[in-house]
Amino acid sequence: MQLPTCVTIAESNIPRLKKNLRKALKKTNFAELRLDYLSPNKVPHALEAVKKDLRRCVCTLRLSKEGGKFSGSEKNRVSILKLIAEYNPLLLDVEYTTLTKSNGLLRYLRNSKTDLLVSWHDFKKTPSLNFLNAQAKKMRKYSKNIKIVTTAKGVGDSARILSLYKSLSNTNLIAFAMGDYGRFSRILCVYLGSPYTYVSLGKPIAPGQFSLDEVKSFLN
């Protein structure tokens, strides 16, 4: 089986972003563009530079408190998210908390029929299965595409996050755990129903992330 992968591209420089995106898409199914690594004023230029490839891209503009690099105001971030939506990427990744606080953004994304990936992260732990199921159901109200990522402190945490795949139906779920104990969940999630797993081109962008070459080597 060839594992479907999504290569995370996190660059502060537009030429490097474009170069690495083209490199990634020659080897993989999809790419995640971490547009929060760019200064906000560069994002419109980056979208123009890669617009031909955006139908294979998950676009992310992650807040710093959600593990991202975006440094502008929330008003500015919402306006940039709306701009990204106009370019019609494969998926626009927006945090669950952002959607609950910005009715204007949610209304805009629904009116524009943007393919939305609703995401939620826990950078400290993996909550109980009851909590995770309840969280998933709340997120499902916003989109059929949801992403739940936690932090594994032991093997049991990875098993718990993966058990979400048994309890959710009619949902395109991406769920795995970060950290060393969560590494195997990044592979198993695809076998359980995730459309892809996130990988890097080189050094990991998130804790426990495999590189694309690592994934290809141990599956061949």
Side-chain angles (χ1 to χ4, degrees):
M1 173 184 178
Q2 182 180 1
L3 207 68
T5 52
C6 181
V7 173
T8 301
I9 309 291
E11 296 289 350
S12 59
N13 174 286
I14 294 175
R16 277 202 306 270
L17 181 147
K18 186 175 180 179
K19 179 183 177 182
N20 284 339
L21 176 60
R22 292 286 171 86
K23 180 181 177 182
L25 291 179
K26 288 178 181 177
K27 300 179 178 181
T28 188
N29 312 79
F30 312 108
E32 179 194 31
L33 296 182
R34 286 293 303 271
L35 296 171
D36 49 293
Y37 275 69
L38 294 165
S39 60
N41 64 308
K42 288 183 179 180
V43 175
H45 304 291
L47 291 169
E48 276 296 312
V50 301
K51 61 183 178 182
K52 292 181 180 178
D53 294 314
L54 285 175
R55 286 306 298 165
R56 293 175 65 190
C57 293
V58 180
C59 289
T60 306
L61 192 68
R62 189 76 73 218
L63 271 171
S64 57
K65 66 180 180 181
E66 295 268 2
K69 300 285 187 181
F70 187 81
S71 57
S73 69
E74 184 61 5
K75 182 179 179 181
N76 188 19
R77 194 173 76 100
V78 167
S79 69
I80 295 173
L81 286 168
K82 291 178 179 179
L83 175 65
I84 297 169
E86 292 177 13
Y87 280 82
N88 193 30
L90 174 71
L91 290 168
L92 175 57
D93 180 336
V94 182
E95 303 87 353
Y96 169 72
T97 51
T98 297
L99 293 170
T100 60
K101 292 175 182 177
S102 181
N103 289 330
L105 174 61
L106 179 61
R107 189 162 52 247
Y108 183 92
L109 296 177
R110 282 177 171 168
N111 289 340
S112 62
K113 294 182 169 55
T114 300
D115 290 317
L116 186 61
L117 175 62
V118 183
S119 60
W120 181 83
H121 297 74
D122 190 323
F123 294 96
K124 295 181 179 180
K125 64 185 183 307
T126 298
S128 69
L129 185 56
N130 284 341
F131 178 93
L132 292 171
N133 274 312
Q135 183 68 21
K137 288 175 182 176
K138 289 189 286 187
M139 294 167 67
R140 184 64 181 82
K141 295 175 183 177
Y142 294 92
S143 174
K144 67 179 180 180
N145 309 303
I146 67 173
K147 176 187 175 187
I148 296 180
V149 179
T150 62
T151 300
K153 300 296 187 181
V155 174
D157 290 341
S158 285
R160 186 156 67 255
I161 189 73
L162 291 175
S163 66
L164 271 178
Y165 288 96
K166 291 189 295 185
S167 53
L168 293 177
S169 59
N170 300 317
T171 302
N172 296 328
L173 175 65
I174 301 167
F176 59 87
M178 295 180 287
D180 289 341
Y181 284 108
R183 295 196 92 195
F184 76 89
S185 70
R186 290 177 173 272
I187 302 300
L188 291 180
C189 68
V190 175
Y191 292 91
L192 294 172
S194 179
Y196 55 74
T197 187
Y198 290 90
V199 297
S200 67
L201 276 181
K203 66 178 184 178
I205 307 300
Q209 188 179 47
F210 289 104
S211 72
L212 179 60
D213 288 342
E214 283 177 318
V215 169
K216 287 183 177 294
S217 69
F218 60 62
L219 287 175
N220 289 335

